[in-house]
Each structure stands twice: as structure tokens, then as C-alpha cells.
Amino acid sequence: MHEIVYRGIVASPGVVIGRAYLLDRRKVVVAGRRIDDINVKDEVARFKQAVDRSKGQLEDLKKRFSKGLGKSHLYILDTHIMLLEDKMLVDGTVKRIRDSQLNAEGALTETIAAIGLKFDTIEDEYLRERKHDVEQVGERILRNLVGHKQESLADIKEEAVIIAHDLAPSDTLVMRKDKILGFATDAGSRTSHTAILARSLGIPAAVGLENITAAVKTGDVVILDGIHGVVIVDPDEETFLDYLKKQRRYKYFEQELEKLRTLPAVTLDGHMIQLQGNIELPEEVSSAAEHGGTGIGLYRTEFLFLNRQTLPTEEEHYNAYRHVAEKAGPHEVVIRTLDVGGDKVGLPGGFEKEANPALGLRAIRFCLQKQDIFRTQLRGILRATAHGNIKILVPMISGLAELYETKKILEEVKSELRSEGKAFNDRVAVGVMIEIPSAAMIADLLAAEVDFFSVGTNDLIQYTLAIDRQNEHVAYMYEPLDPAVLRLLHRVSDAALRAKVTLAMCGEMAGDPLYAAILLGMGFQSLSMNVASIPWVKKVVRSVRMQDAVELAALVMRQPTAALARKTAENFMEERFPDLVAEL
Ligand code: PEP
Ligand code: MG
């Protein structure tokens, strides 16, 4: 037998070697069939019973496991419970039973497929991934309809690497960390819940392996390399020994990095850099501090609008933001206003499909057109500013006109609150995302109008190099060190430093240790990233001198091609951080 290597998507870093445990998550096979008119009422009742039973099971899980669990787990359970009350799912199925005279199983399967189709058109990866939640909830109802009991991860007695088609939040809830070495799934992406949970649990994981469940049997020896999203089945001896070494080294390195947690992110010559976490859910707020970060540099608020029939109320906005601000205190929380595009049906009401959603009615453009939605969110954010250190960040600003209009609305909302006697911080800092090349080009003009910049490299690179950030066929061209990108970054930093505007970055580039010294050298004062990357970047920050970083940035900037710029950055890192580079 020869080893087989499967490549998927990086979900949670770390290396584990162990025996596989193939979790039976074969889909329940159900037959959709027509029913007689007379049976419709009973069928609806049977469906509703299965929904109630599903809800009971989730509530029970929540009760049993609520202590000692991260809030993100509970949030996801709540999401599933909420889905069991979702009109599209529940009423949609009931309507199908009635209108098409279908049995409950058939009606539910069709409803989930219909919802799935809508999700597929969503551009935002995070929102699109919520389709899995709907499918997992649907699967639970189906199992309850047909009386099929699911194998539980709580039953696993020996240490194992879990191989599954997909894992539901309820699986990860009952997962015993001492027994589960890691997991690998067919489905999922970097932003699927499974991946998010793996990171928050600190369990190595790879997802999106497509057909790993077909290749592995329980008991097979597998290597799970969460750093590269790779699974090796039946490894050869040489590979095995190689990974054993890698695993030891990685663990040791992580422990070393862990020691930096309480230390400041300060360069050898005393320049303090702010390292912060990016979060999507309010429940993730404490994880930034747990990884040695100081506050939240990007709170993507899109989640508040998800999985629901109605728009979030001002109170819901307020409560979520207040919770995050209080938890993060005394550190700051940068709340980004809604960033959705015109094709995002996740928004209650849905919107017209656009031919080029990335160039369409997205983020601030959308908010300025749907001002009621925007004003409600701004009221919630402003009221929360009375309870913590909050900054407001506006996404996708492309020019001054948008910024003027945004600020005008903000002032109007403030005066409304003032006249209602509601408390808020009148001097709340307002910043813009620099993620459209036009914004970078006029950074000097924007700098005169705002308190801070936060550079969103995910979009800035997409728009500068004309590379769809979702399209795997052009992913090879997605290059943060492209000279055009670097020149824009330089321009932005120059404008920020001249105007004494705080310069931050919250795109993925900020979380890669390879770029950290360059960014410091360019003048970035604040870097916000996925929380697991904080210790890695901190290690670089604490080991460089600002002067060296400035020289490196200048040298990288002089390179005529991305390849040469990358080589320059890599040489610097290999020379200074051979141990760190070996782990990347
Ligand atoms: C970015 O574009 O870099 C960014 C941080 O925003 P998002 O990934 O949410 O578009
Ligand atoms: Mg963006």
C-alpha cells in the first residue's frame, strides 16, 4: 500500500498523527411521495412534531453543555434553534406538503434544496457557508422524521482523527478534546462553522477535502496537517517520521509563542504596534485577548442580518455592540457598518441579482440607498459607544461624496439621539476602509475627513489586479506584494502619516508573518487579523528593529515584480526567523 495525499482547505493549524475514525454521516435516504388530500393534516402534524423534537434535542444539548463551553458554540446552537423557527424552512415545508401534497420528507428535502439555491448566489463566503447550517438542521429534522439515530462523537472512546462528510455544531459540542486529535471533512471552507469552531477549540482541522470519507476506513493511520490543509492516508515510513518531527517542532513552537501572550507587541527599539482580532460573531470577542491581542480591529456585522425574516432592530444592534464593547474593554472595538452586496439574498427581503455584484450595490453604496437600514444600525452603534471604546468603520468608500453623505447621516442620527436624551460618545472615531484603488489614490483627501484608515487588502488586491477573490482559476495572481499593490499601500501610508491619521490594516495580509516587518516599515500602527495569527505576528514585531523594517519595506518596494518582492521578503524572514519560516 502506498500513501495517498489529499489536499483541502486550511481550517485550523497544527499537525496530528493517529488512527482515523470515520463518522457515519451518510445522508438519510428518504423517499418523497405524493399523499392523499385526506392525509395532509396528519403529515403537517408529523412534520411539526419532528421539528419540535429537533428543537428539544438542541435545547437539551445547550443545557447540558452550556457550562465550560465557548460562546461561539452556543451561538451556533442558537442559530440552529432559530432555523427551526425559520419561516422559509418550516412554513415553506408545510406549504409544500399542502400545495404539492408531498410527504413531509419529500417536502422538506425540496424546501432545503430551494433555500440552498438561493444561498449559492451569495457572494460573501461567510454568508454563503450558512447554507450548511440549513442543511444540517434539515438533516436533523429528517432523522427525527424517519427515527434514525445519529452516531455521536461523545461515544468515541479512543483518541482519533475524525473523518466526516461534515460536522454539525452539535458534534463539536460533545467532542471530547482529549479524544479528538483533529478532524477532516469533505465539505466546508475556511469560513464554515466547522472551521471557525476548530480554530476556537484549537483542534487542527482540514476541510473541503471533497471525498476523504470515501478514501478512509476507521482504524487507518492518517496524518492531518492543518497548516497546509493536507491529509495523508497510510503514510509511508519516511513521511511518517518526517511528520512526527514536524509535529514535535510545531508544538514546541506554539508553546514558545504562547509565552508572548501577555507581552506587548513592541519592536526591539520600542515602537508599540497594536495587534488585534477580526471577528464575525459577538461571541468571538474574548478569543482576541486569549491570543494576546488588544481589542477588535474589525467586527464584521453582517451576521446580525442573517438567518432571519426581519431586519435586526435597533435594540438588537445595540445589545450586540454593547456586549462586544464591554467584553473587549478597556481595549477598542472597531465596528464595521454593514457590508453586503446587491445579490445577497441573506438579507431579509432579498435584492435584485446583479451581473457583477463585486462592482455593484455593495456595502456603503447599499447603505446610502437603504438609509433606514443604515440609520438603524448607526443608532445601535452610537448608543453602544456609551458603554465602551468603540470606533466606526465604513466599508467600500470610493470617493469623498460617499464619505460626506455618510458623515451627514451620522450627524443627523447623533442629533436625533441627542434630542431623545440618549447617551452616546459624541466624539466617536470614524474611519474608512481603504479597499478600492480610487480611495487609495485620494487617501490624502480622505485623510482630512477621518480619524483612521483601515486597509482591506482582500478587496484592494481584488480591485487593483482585477482578480475575483473567489475565483480559484486566478487565485495564483492574488499577490499582496505586487508592485502596484505596494505602491498603493505606500501612498495610503504616506497620506495617513502626513495627516496624523491612524493607519491600520484588517485584510488577510495583516495576519501573515511574512509581511509583518514590511507593514511596520511602511508605517502601519495597527494590524488586525484572525486571532490565531496574533502570536505569530507578535513574534516578528518583537524581534525586529524599526529601522530594519523601514529598510526592508524600501527594498521590497523597489522590486519590479511580485516574484522578486516575495523573494526579498522571504530572504529577510529566512535570515531572521529560520525557525518561524520552517513552520509556515
Ligand atoms: C478586506 O477587504 O480586506 C476586508 C477586511 O473586508 P472583507 O474581507 O470583509 O471584504
Ligand atoms: Mg472588504
Side-chain angles (χ1 to χ4, degrees):
M1 275 283 282
H2 216 54
E3 66 183 26
I4 313 175
V5 181
Y6 288 85
R7 287 175 204 285
I9 296 165
V10 173
S12 179
V15 178
V16 286
I17 305 173
R19 298 260 172 209
Y21 185 96
L22 183 64
L23 195 67
D24 177 17
R25 282 289 185 271
R26 265 167 302 170
K27 288 210 175 304
V28 196
V29 183
V30 292
R33 57 179 173 76
R34 303 262 163 228
I35 52 171
D36 293 333
D37 211 4
I38 189 169
N39 292 330
V40 164
K41 220 169 128 208
D42 287 350
E43 203 60 16
V44 169
R46 196 167 75 83
F47 171 67
K48 290 202 164 155
Q49 262 173 17
V51 171
D52 288 344
R53 208 169 306 134
S54 304
K55 210 182 292 176
Q57 289 162 350
L58 290 173
E59 302 275 13
D60 185 47
L61 273 176
K62 201 174 144 185
K63 239 184 265 146
R64 277 175 33 217
F65 293 97
S66 62
K67 282 204 194 80
L69 265 177
K71 286 240 173 102
S72 51
H73 289 80
L74 292 177
Y75 168 77
I76 290 166
L77 265 189
D78 281 335
T79 305
H80 280 205
I81 293 171
M82 226 160 66
L83 277 173
L84 286 165
E85 288 158 12
D86 183 80
K87 277 211 171 60
M88 230 187 323
L89 183 65
V90 179
D91 296 359
T93 304
V94 169
K95 191 167 170 347
R96 270 201 175 77
I97 297 177
R98 290 199 178 117
D99 295 356
S100 315
Q101 293 198 358
L102 265 179
N103 67 342
E105 287 87 341
L108 177 62
T109 311
E110 280 192 8
T111 307
I112 289 167
I115 297 174
L117 281 182
K118 291 196 176 172
F119 268 98
D120 284 341
T121 61
I122 296 179
E123 182 203 355
D124 185 294
E125 193 190 357
Y126 178 81
L127 299 186
R128 200 176 52 228
E129 273 302 317
R130 303 289 78 80
K131 177 183 165 186
H132 285 302
D133 294 308
V134 178
E135 286 170 351
Q136 286 167 348
V137 166
E139 186 78 7
R140 179 177 286 278
I141 306 174
L142 275 181
R143 283 180 191 277
N144 279 315
L145 273 171
V146 299
H148 192 307
K149 200 171 169 293
Q150 215 176 35
E151 197 181 3
S152 168
L153 279 184
D155 302 335
I156 291 179
K157 303 282 184 300
E158 281 167 30
E159 282 192 347
V161 177
I162 304 302
I163 309 286
H165 175 69
D166 197 4
L167 291 174
S170 48
D171 286 317
T172 39
L173 265 180
V174 298
M175 224 180 231
R176 290 184 47 188
K177 240 190 112 175
D178 56 331
K179 296 283 182 253
I180 311 297
L181 298 172
F183 53 80
T185 60
D186 293 336
S189 76
R190 213 188 132 65
T191 49
S192 61
H193 273 150
T194 320
I196 293 171
L197 286 172
R199 287 197 290 277
S200 81
L201 285 168
I203 295 180
V207 298
L209 289 141
E210 290 184 0
N211 55 359
I212 188 80
T213 47
V216 180
K217 299 182 301 301
T218 294
D220 283 351
V221 174
V222 291
I223 294 172
L224 166 61
D225 172 356
I227 306 163
H228 302 101
V230 167
V231 175
I232 303 169
V233 184
D234 285 327
D236 299 338
E237 193 179 340
E238 200 182 324
T239 312
F240 185 88
L241 293 175
D242 191 33
Y243 267 94
L244 208 55
K245 259 193 258 159
K246 268 194 192 144
Q247 186 185 25
R248 287 208 192 109
R249 231 181 30 213
Y250 191 83
K251 273 200 183 133
Y252 172 78
F253 203 73
E254 261 190 336
Q255 280 162 6
E256 287 298 297
L257 289 179
E258 173 66 16
K259 294 181 189 155
L260 304 179
R261 200 170 73 86
T262 53
L263 299 175
V266 62
T267 62
L268 289 174
D269 46 353
H271 290 267
M272 190 67 86
I273 305 296
Q274 200 168 26
L275 301 186
Q276 302 182 311
N278 289 353
I279 62 167
E280 269 90 18
L281 312 173
E283 285 71 23
E284 289 171 288
V285 60
S286 49
S287 61
E290 282 157 19
H291 285 84
T294 50
I296 306 301
L298 172 64
Y299 170 16
R300 294 179 165 104
T301 56
E302 288 78 65
F303 88 97
L304 263 177
F305 291 78
L306 194 68
N307 291 341
R308 49 188 305 157
Q309 301 295 318
T310 54
L311 289 162
T313 61
E314 180 183 323
E315 283 315 296
E316 286 174 85
H317 282 293
Y318 167 68
N319 286 331
Y321 307 147
R322 179 178 174 169
H323 167 84
V324 171
E326 285 179 343
K327 268 269 163 131
H331 302 304
E332 69 182 29
V333 175
V334 179
I335 301 181
R336 186 176 72 183
T337 58
L338 181 63
D339 180 358
V340 283
D343 69 322
K344 285 175 185 158
V345 290
L347 277 185
F351 294 96
E352 252 177 68
K353 190 157 169 44
E354 298 175 306
N356 292 302
L359 306 178
L361 193 63
R362 197 188 146 179
I364 192 62
R365 306 167 180 189
F366 171 85
C367 287
L368 293 177
Q369 286 206 10
K370 308 277 175 186
Q371 286 200 14
D372 44 342
I373 296 179
F374 192 37
R375 284 172 192 267
T376 306
Q377 180 174 39
L378 287 178
R379 282 181 63 97
I381 299 177
L382 280 172
R383 283 176 53 207
T385 60
H387 303 281
N389 187 355
I390 288 175
K391 289 177 163 182
I392 299 176
L393 177 60
V394 188
M396 295 283 289
I397 285 285
S398 64
L400 274 178
E402 276 170 341
L403 183 57
Y404 290 150
E405 203 180 340
T406 304
K407 284 173 70 173
K408 181 170 148 264
I409 293 173
L410 186 66
E411 286 312 312
E412 284 168 11
V413 173
K414 278 186 182 175
S415 68
E416 245 170 55
L417 290 175
R418 224 174 275 125
S419 64
E420 292 167 25
K422 300 235 162 80
F424 67 94
N425 172 12
D426 204 1
R427 297 158 63 103
V428 58
V430 177
V432 285
M433 296 271 306
I434 303 287
E435 52 184 346
I436 298 182
S438 62
M441 292 305 291
I442 56 154
D444 55 331
L445 302 177
L446 293 171
E449 297 291 329
V450 295
D451 301 298
F452 66 100
F453 284 161
S454 189
V455 178
T457 47
N458 308 344
D459 280 313
L460 186 63
I461 297 169
Q462 143 163 288
Y463 295 125
T464 304
L465 302 178
I467 294 160
D468 179 350
R469 65 193 256 195
Q470 315 265 18
N471 184 339
E472 67 273 21
H473 304 303
V474 286
Y476 73 99
M477 289 176 71
Y478 198 90
E479 176 53 87
L481 296 184
D482 187 281
V485 175
L486 291 175
R487 285 183 191 200
L488 286 178
L489 292 182
H490 181 66
R491 201 177 169 97
V492 174
S493 104
D494 200 44
L497 298 181
R498 274 177 210 275
K500 297 202 172 44
V501 154
T502 305
L503 181 62
M505 178 179 281
C506 64
E508 287 298 308
M509 186 181 187
D512 190 329
L514 176 65
Y515 311 130
I518 300 171
L519 296 177
L520 297 199
M522 282 188 152
F524 281 86
Q525 297 139 340
S526 182
L527 302 174
S528 191
M529 61 202 77
N530 81 74
V531 296
S533 296
I534 294 174
W536 297 76
V537 173
K538 195 186 269 189
K539 164 91 179 157
V540 176
V541 171
R542 290 182 55 84
S543 319
V544 293
R545 235 171 265 286
M546 191 53 97
Q547 190 50 40
D548 294 346
V550 170
E551 280 167 24
L552 171 68
L555 185 62
V556 170
M557 285 277 309
R558 282 200 296 276
Q559 304 307 310
T561 64
L564 286 172
R566 175 161 292 274
K567 192 80 212 125
T568 308
E570 282 171 356
N571 286 346
F572 176 87
M573 289 298 285
E574 268 156 27
E575 209 176 280
R576 302 292 188 96
F577 306 96
D579 48 349
L580 190 140
V581 169
E583 303 308 323
L584 296 174

